[in-house]
Amino acid sequence: MKVGLFVPCYVDALYPEVGVSTYRLLQKLGVSVEYPERQTCCGQPMGNAGFERMAVPLAEKYDSLFGGYDYVVAPSASCAAYVRVFHPVLVKERQCAAAGKTVDIVEFLHDVLKVDSLPARFPHKVSVHNSCHGVRELGLSSPSERNVPRFNKIIDLLQLVRDIEIVEPERPDECCGFGGMFAVEEQAVSARMGLEKVRRHIATGAEYVTGPDSSCLMHMQGIAKRQQLPIKFIHVAQILAGE
């Protein structure tokens, strides 16, 4: 199996340790993984802002760069979802070979590798954040609005980590208020949604909030810091990698 690692631009710029942990985690699990250095943004910021034509060349470059891999793994549910759902719509002249092979790190470990053990220990109480794209586009957990049996792939993987205590907040799949451009265009609403979400995570007694999207974690972390709230944030790949 040949795997390409896609590190989204905001992870690369602000949370490079998440990309490094993802790479190391895949290596620890015996995956042959490569990081193409010419990769760029997937185009999600332009697409979300309504400038889809600006996202087309980025989608084409992504497909050219990653099309030859068996899987493309990203430590970002939102970017993985954008590639898989929207790249085939943007690039109409040809079939997007890479789009259907693109998965979030949680999907890859849970559904593809089907890992049943991890060399990780995290002796802390952790509250799980279910990001909107992960729940409703990638199916990382069951959406509360649907009458389906409950499941959560993030929790399934975290349960393989030694000495961890896992909890979920009230309204576990409610949006944190980030939403990309929504946080810019509707700042007051976004900030209030984020504050309520952080308070629900804190109410669990957790020391950390974790999830598959650095963007959501960044949004809540900024709110917690400004409000001087006692909670820390860590990407799920960092916990699973034992880092």
Side-chain angles (χ1 to χ4, degrees):
M1 183 189 300
K2 187 179 178 184
V3 172
L5 175 62
F6 171 54
V7 178
C9 46
Y10 69 92
V11 176
D12 180 55
L14 300 174
Y15 300 99
E17 64 275 12
V18 173
V20 172
S21 290
T22 303
Y23 183 82
R24 288 176 177 168
L25 174 57
L26 293 171
Q27 283 193 318
K28 288 177 183 178
L29 294 171
V31 176
S32 176
V33 57
E34 297 178 359
Y35 174 75
E37 295 184 2
R38 292 179 53 249
Q39 62 183 271
T40 60
C41 177
C42 67
Q44 182 180 186
M46 301 76 155
N48 287 349
F51 300 100
E52 284 194 343
R53 282 183 295 180
M54 295 177 66
V56 171
L58 296 176
E60 291 174 338
K61 182 171 184 177
Y62 182 97
D63 191 60
S64 297
L65 199 61
F66 287 107
Y69 290 97
D70 297 311
Y71 288 96
V72 185
V73 178
S76 168
S78 65
C79 290
Y82 185 78
V83 169
R84 207 152 80 206
V85 176
F86 291 102
H87 276 199
V89 178
L90 294 174
V91 184
K92 299 176 182 178
E93 292 77 17
R94 65 181 184 187
Q95 183 179 3
C96 281
K101 304 174 185 178
T102 299
V103 293
D104 167 74
I105 182 63
V106 171
E107 285 184 293
F108 186 70
L109 299 183
H110 190 280
D111 299 343
V112 180
L113 293 187
K114 301 184 188 298
V115 298
D116 55 11
S117 65
L118 287 168
R121 176 177 178 266
F122 197 71
H124 302 282
K125 190 173 185 178
V126 175
S127 185
V128 175
H129 179 69
N130 304 299
S131 60
C132 297
H133 290 87
V135 175
R136 294 176 177 86
E137 291 185 324
L138 300 185
L140 299 187
S141 61
S142 52
S144 56
E145 69 272 9
R146 295 181 60 195
N147 185 25
V148 297
R150 286 206 67 192
F151 66 89
N152 193 307
K153 298 175 185 179
I154 306 167
I155 292 177
D156 288 347
L157 293 175
L158 288 173
Q159 287 173 338
L160 301 176
V161 177
R162 291 181 292 118
D163 301 328
I164 193 171
E165 183 179 355
I166 307 162
V167 294
E168 282 190 285
E170 180 190 10
R171 304 180 187 175
D173 62 350
E174 185 177 73
C175 180
C176 69
F178 177 63
M181 289 300 297
F182 176 77
V184 177
E185 296 172 345
E186 299 289 349
Q187 182 180 0
V189 179
S190 171
R192 184 54 186 263
M193 290 174 69
L195 179 59
E196 293 300 320
K197 191 70 178 184
V198 171
R199 285 173 174 168
R200 291 192 181 97
H201 281 299
I202 291 174
T204 66
E207 302 166 68
Y208 286 87
V209 177
T210 193
D213 264 308
S214 291
S215 53
C216 297
L217 298 175
M218 175 182 66
H219 177 63
M220 292 185 287
Q221 184 179 37
I223 290 169
K225 184 176 181 181
R226 285 193 296 273
Q227 298 289 331
Q228 298 184 334
L229 298 175
I231 194 83
K232 292 176 281 188
F233 299 81
I234 184 170
H235 193 281
V236 67
Q238 294 173 277
I239 297 178
L240 299 178
E243 300 179 355

